Amino acid sequence: MKRRLMWIGVSIIALVGMLFLAFRLSPYPAVWLVRYAFEKEAVRVDAALEEQVPENIRSIRNIQYDPTDPNSLLDLYYSEDARALTSKLPVIVWTHGGGLVSGSKNHLSNYCKLLASRGFVAISIDYTIAPEAKYPTPIRQLNTALAFISAKADQFSVDSTKFILAGDSGGSMITAATANLITSPSYAAITNVSPGLHPEQLKAVLLYCGIYEVDNLNSEGAFASFLHTVTWAYFGEKDISNDAYAKTASVLHFLTDSFPPAFISAGNKDPLLPQSKRFAEKLSALDVKLDTLFFPESYKPALGHEYQFTFDKDGKRAFEQSIQFINQLIGRNTSEQPEP
């Protein structure tokens, strides 16, 4: 009995040791945990929005935007009522979040239907998540998708002169980088990514709770451990402090006054709130047209990461404010939209 207990003890110690080494030698063990938690929550949030979706929203699912890439799928949503008003609609292209290591276009299904109900073609894209793909692969994929959508504008009833890019969390990071390289040739050159649109096609960006400075992240607490996993998975290095190319992902340092008009928001208890505020401050200093939705620190109920997808009064406020911002930019009045 004593020998058996000793064997069990040794086995437990060995297992703990192997787990410790696994977490030290590869980002995958931590990524798998993140994926499990994030996927479960994303499915719940999307399902909760279903009751908010109006009728007459149509979808075309799993369109391949790059025939050489099995991960290059997009979903397209539009309102039949909006299509009855005009043959060409402005397009919102949303890049999903998930910490760059999880997530799917499918998790945006009902939110995109809500966007479509306001007179847009709403498109959500898939990209290859990390560690399976490293920086800047998702940015290249988004630009490939944009070029594809622009080329298929007539087929998709898209007004190719009115693109709006949007993203949340990791998707916001990808979106901001893409908007910057579309409007800044120097940033496109240093990232070595070809723009998918001409600058005049891009009318605005909607950015929720993103990362814009990978070299200035919170280095304390449990969230810091998550961010370490994300950066290790996305860049393929535990420490990017001496990696000049990885630092080009800190899009905040490369902004110009050509950046498109931006709507930026994050919850008052989002650990990434400082990133959004610094990004907004930099755009304001550059005189870029800007609208923000931030909340007092003491705001109740406390609004965490991705608060906008919880369609309570605060989520609805963000939604309506972003739609109003876009409509003002593209010069569209309410008579050109279906009834909400």
Side-chain angles (χ1 to χ4, degrees):
M1 183 67 178
K2 189 174 181 180
R3 181 176 294 179
R4 184 181 177 187
L5 289 174
M6 182 180 297
W7 171 249
I8 292 173
V10 169
S11 299
I12 291 172
I13 292 171
L15 178 60
V16 170
M18 285 188 290
L19 286 173
F20 176 78
L21 285 175
F23 277 86
R24 294 278 293 180
L25 297 175
S26 170
Y28 268 108
V31 163
W32 289 328
L33 294 175
V34 170
R35 285 180 184 173
Y36 175 79
F38 277 31
E39 295 277 335
K40 186 176 181 180
E41 177 64 8
V43 169
R44 183 196 68 78
V45 170
D46 181 62
L49 286 174
E50 188 168 5
E51 64 183 23
Q52 305 285 341
V53 176
E55 296 180 354
N56 296 330
I57 305 299
R58 297 293 174 260
S59 60
I60 306 173
R61 307 293 295 271
N62 296 320
I63 302 168
Q64 191 160 17
Y65 60 81
D66 182 351
T68 68
D69 181 358
N71 293 319
S72 64
L73 300 176
L74 61 82
D75 294 340
L76 182 149
Y77 305 86
Y78 65 92
S79 162
E80 289 188 334
D81 297 334
R83 281 267 290 267
L85 294 173
T86 179
S87 61
K88 295 289 184 70
L89 299 170
V91 58
I92 299 175
V93 181
W94 199 294
T95 304
H96 71 78
L100 302 169
V101 299
S102 69
S104 162
K105 62 179 176 53
N106 301 328
H107 299 152
L108 290 167
S109 174
N110 287 318
Y111 198 82
C112 281
K113 289 176 183 177
L114 290 169
L115 292 170
S117 75
R118 304 306 291 269
F120 300 93
V121 173
I123 294 176
S124 59
I125 75 156
D126 266 341
Y127 54 90
T128 309
I129 54 179
E132 287 81 350
K134 306 294 191 293
Y135 173 74
T137 298
I139 300 170
R140 289 198 175 110
Q141 289 172 305
L142 173 55
N143 279 279
T144 299
L146 295 175
F148 172 82
I149 296 163
S150 184
K152 300 285 187 180
D154 290 342
Q155 179 181 332
F156 296 153
S157 298
V158 162
D159 183 342
S160 63
T161 69
K162 295 176 181 176
F163 272 82
I164 298 95
L165 303 188
D168 60 284
S169 192
S172 189
M173 178 181 177
I174 295 165
T175 296
T178 294
N180 201 46
L181 67 89
I182 288 171
T183 54
S184 171
S186 62
Y187 189 62
I190 65 171
T191 56
N192 194 28
V193 179
S194 299
L197 298 175
H198 296 294
E200 60 270 17
Q201 293 179 271
L202 181 54
K203 300 306 180 190
V205 294
L206 310 179
L207 302 174
Y208 287 95
C209 54
I211 296 173
Y212 312 108
E213 286 183 284
V214 296
D215 50 351
N216 188 19
L217 292 169
N218 181 357
S219 59
E220 298 179 357
F223 195 71
S225 178
F226 161 73
L227 292 175
H228 173 72
T229 295
V230 167
T231 55
W232 186 7
Y234 192 48
F235 297 106
E237 297 182 41
K238 283 187 176 182
D239 182 4
I240 63 169
S241 59
N242 296 314
D243 188 329
Y245 184 68
K247 288 184 178 181
T248 64
S250 292
V251 63
L252 184 145
H253 302 315
F254 302 93
L255 296 174
T256 73
D257 59 7
S258 297
F259 195 84
F263 172 84
I264 302 173
S265 185
N268 62 314
K269 296 303 179 183
D270 186 338
L272 291 176
L273 174 62
Q275 294 264 328
S276 289
K277 286 191 169 181
R278 288 195 296 270
F279 197 79
E281 289 166 1
K282 182 64 176 289
L283 291 181
S284 180
L286 291 168
D287 289 326
V288 171
K289 188 173 182 60
L290 181 67
D291 189 18
T292 63
L293 179 56
F294 298 126
F295 301 83
E297 185 177 353
S298 59
Y299 188 80
K300 300 291 183 181
L303 303 177
H305 193 62
E306 302 277 39
Y307 84 93
Q308 75 280 354
F309 290 142
T310 302
F311 225 53
D312 55 13
K313 66 181 179 69
D314 299 306
K316 289 180 179 178
R317 178 182 172 186
F319 181 85
E320 294 296 340
Q321 189 170 326
S322 67
I323 296 296
Q324 183 180 17
F325 178 69
I326 296 170
N327 284 339
Q328 289 174 346
L329 289 169
I330 64 177
R332 185 169 69 172
N333 57 51
T334 54
S335 65
E336 298 176 276
Q337 291 183 268
E339 290 292 326

